[in-house]
Amino acid sequence: MAIKYKQSKFTYQMEDNNGYILLYNSLTGKILRLGNAYKQQMKDILKSNTGDEESALFHEMLNAKIMIPDDFDEMKYIDDLRDNIINKNETLDILIYPTEACNLRCKYCWENFGKGNMDEATETSVIHFLERQIPKYKRLYIKWFGGEPLLNIPAIERIMTKSIDLCRNHGVILASSITTNGYLLTPEVLSNLVKHKIYEYQVTVDGLKKDHDKMRILPNGGGSYDIIVGNLINIKETVTNRLIRILIRTNFNQENLNTIQEYAQFYMQHFGGDKRFSAYWNAVQDWGGEAVHNVEDKLIQNYDKTQINLIAAKYDIPLVIENTLLSPGGYACYAGKQNSFIIGTEGAIYKCPQKIYDDYNKIGHLNKDGDLVLDNEKYMQWVSPFTENKCVSCVMRPSCLSARCPKRKFTGQECKFEAEQLERALITFANSKYNYTEFI
């Protein structure tokens, strides 16, 4: 008996600026790019319920789950994805603030720097927490954040040393990353952090010197560009470790957007060709706090991210962009994951790093013995899936798994995802060197 097929509910089709058809399925994250010679064949396959066993295009559409067997249960598939990515108790994902102090005063930062370094008692509680929790998991992922985390390197060293020993003793895989402004990230500091198993780094450079130094300033008003970029170039030229990964983030506003072409050339001149470096480009937004009100007139209105993504593609800049949006589970916020926690400098437990001053975000605390004491009602609100109709029927549900920006449950904001956002991502892929299957 012949197998019957159907088109997946989670397939999106569009035509790009060059006349190619882009077929995308969010169950797999796969993209097909079709030329004129294949358009009619594609239409015939999508209409048919019997398939075409002789067609390479049909087999690729099956592989991408654009076409699926008639009895394939897509909702169960998504539920299984959510269980594996959101609910599975195999990875403990913790973000730690070793300090809330900072050596910069960036003009759009949401933090108030009210607390300094993590005290000894809290550090001890963190270590006890790891001693209790690590044996329960297969993987541990520690993210270092702040403030500027490199203002308290000793705490990072002590906690990582203990984590390395515990993970080794219990056969647990350990990974660690750090988000730093880069001002203190000399090659020597980085090499020391690598010895403590921290291989992933995110550093912000907001364009060329004149633009960066207007936004990311020292407490005395001075610029930070020369030191930060100097550190990055020195790392590239002197650090030979090939396992490190450095993500250079750039936040664009109305001013530095005018020099984006020159900045792209600068990036490729200094970091192009080194696979350890990649980029993330975004627009400055109101992420909260009071500082951003001083630069409201510089925010990009009606922001279309495609324009900067296509410039990156033009210069072959390896942009870490919409691939997260397009991959299964890639658009899910870690705040919605059951085993994801943020530990503040005084042992408070949070879910979202942008809202550490809001009561709804504080879901508990660590006691002196390292026990995780949670407000279960708040916790469940963060980790339970969205059930609104728009979410259930959305083509991107396999990507966000009903866990995109769970703070909306407390703020009352609606999901801002629109089809245009998906189309921008697909257009970016079609104009870059990202992997997709092509039938021309």
Side-chain angles (χ1 to χ4, degrees), residues 77-128:
Y77 186 88
I78 294 172
D79 288 342
D80 290 344
L81 272 177
R82 181 176 170 85
D83 284 341
N84 285 327
I85 295 174
I86 304 296
N87 300 334
K88 201 164 188 178
N89 294 318
E90 291 190 351
T91 301
L92 177 61
D93 189 336
I94 57 174
L95 184 152
I96 303 176
Y97 281 78
T99 184
E100 290 182 29
C102 191
N103 52 347
L104 296 188
R105 291 296 180 268
C106 302
K107 291 188 178 180
Y108 47 74
C109 184
W110 65 84
E111 301 198 38
N112 63 26
F113 319 114
K115 300 173 184 176
N117 287 357
M118 178 178 285
D119 59 37
E120 184 178 351
T122 301
E123 187 180 322
T124 300
S125 294
V126 171
I127 289 174
H128 288 329

Side-chain angles (χ1 to χ4, degrees), residues 102-383:
C102 191
N103 52 347
L104 296 188
R105 291 296 180 268
C106 302
K107 291 188 178 180
Y108 47 74
C109 184
W110 65 84
E111 301 198 38
N112 63 26
F113 319 114
K115 300 173 184 176
N117 287 357
M118 178 178 285
D119 59 37
E120 184 178 351
T122 301
E123 187 180 322
T124 300
S125 294
V126 171
I127 289 174
H128 288 329
F129 168 75
L130 293 170
E131 290 171 339
R132 290 173 177 268
Q133 295 296 323
I134 285 176
K136 302 176 184 179
Y137 294 90
K138 293 182 179 180
R139 292 176 292 273
L140 171 65
Y141 186 20
I142 299 179
K143 305 168 186 172
W144 296 98
F145 202 71
E148 171 46 51
L150 296 185
L151 291 174
N152 193 6
I153 291 176
I156 295 174
E157 292 175 333
R158 289 189 291 266
I159 292 173
M160 287 304 299
T161 297
K162 187 64 176 180
S163 298
I164 292 167
D165 290 341
L166 288 167
C167 287
R168 182 186 298 116
N169 293 338
H170 293 282
V172 174
I173 298 170
L174 172 63
S176 187
S177 66
I178 189 164
T179 299
T180 167
N181 58 42
Y183 198 82
L184 301 174
L185 190 65
T186 63
E188 294 75 22
V189 167
L190 182 138
S191 296
N192 178 49
L193 295 172
V194 167
K195 291 178 183 177
H196 291 85
K197 304 300 181 184
I198 302 175
Y199 292 103
E200 299 174 15
Y201 301 79
Q202 178 176 304
V203 178
T204 298
V205 178
D206 278 353
L208 301 174
K209 176 178 170 62
K210 67 181 182 63
D211 298 312
H212 175 103
D213 281 346
K214 290 178 183 177
M215 302 299 286
R216 302 185 66 81
I217 61 176
L218 300 170
N220 64 9
S224 62
Y225 178 92
D226 289 338
I227 297 295
I228 294 170
V229 172
N231 284 339
L232 291 171
I233 292 173
N234 285 339
I235 287 168
K236 181 189 178 239
E237 293 178 349
T238 64
V239 175
T240 59
N241 189 300
R242 306 310 297 177
L243 297 178
I244 63 169
R245 294 293 180 267
I246 300 177
L247 177 67
I248 300 179
R249 174 172 180 146
T250 304
N251 300 305
F252 287 96
N253 58 69
Q254 291 185 26
E255 293 187 353
N256 63 352
L257 192 61
N258 293 325
T259 55
I260 188 171
Q261 299 271 3
E262 294 91 331
Y263 176 64
Q265 294 170 15
F266 157 84
Y267 178 94
M268 289 306 294
Q269 176 186 350
H270 292 286
F271 306 107
D274 191 327
K275 293 183 179 180
R276 299 176 299 174
F277 289 82
S278 59
Y280 174 72
W281 290 2
N282 203 356
V284 176
Q285 300 171 45
D286 184 349
W287 290 301
E290 297 299 320
V292 72
H293 298 306
N294 297 319
V295 292
E296 282 181 325
D297 60 328
K298 294 182 175 63
L299 301 185
I300 302 172
Q301 304 300 323
N302 301 316
Y303 170 58
D304 181 355
K305 195 172 182 179
T306 310
Q307 58 184 316
I308 64 172
N309 290 348
L310 292 181
I311 290 172
K314 172 184 175 182
Y315 288 94
D316 292 331
I317 294 175
L319 207 58
V320 177
I321 43 158
E322 317 295 355
N323 55 330
T324 54
L325 165 64
L326 298 177
S327 61
Y331 209 44
C333 177
Y334 61 79
K337 297 181 180 180
Q338 290 191 1
N339 301 303
S340 174
F341 304 98
I342 297 171
I343 303 175
T345 56
E346 296 177 349
I349 302 297
Y350 307 100
K351 271 294 189 176
C352 175
Q354 291 182 5
K355 298 295 178 182
I356 60 172
Y357 308 116
D358 293 290
D359 181 68
Y360 66 79
N361 189 32
K362 184 178 178 181
I363 63 167
H365 67 275
L366 285 182
N367 67 18
K368 62 182 179 62
D369 297 320
D371 295 316
L372 195 61
V373 182
L374 295 178
D375 180 325
N376 285 319
E377 183 177 350
K378 282 185 181 178
Y379 169 74
M380 290 307 300
Q381 282 184 277
W382 278 97
V383 302

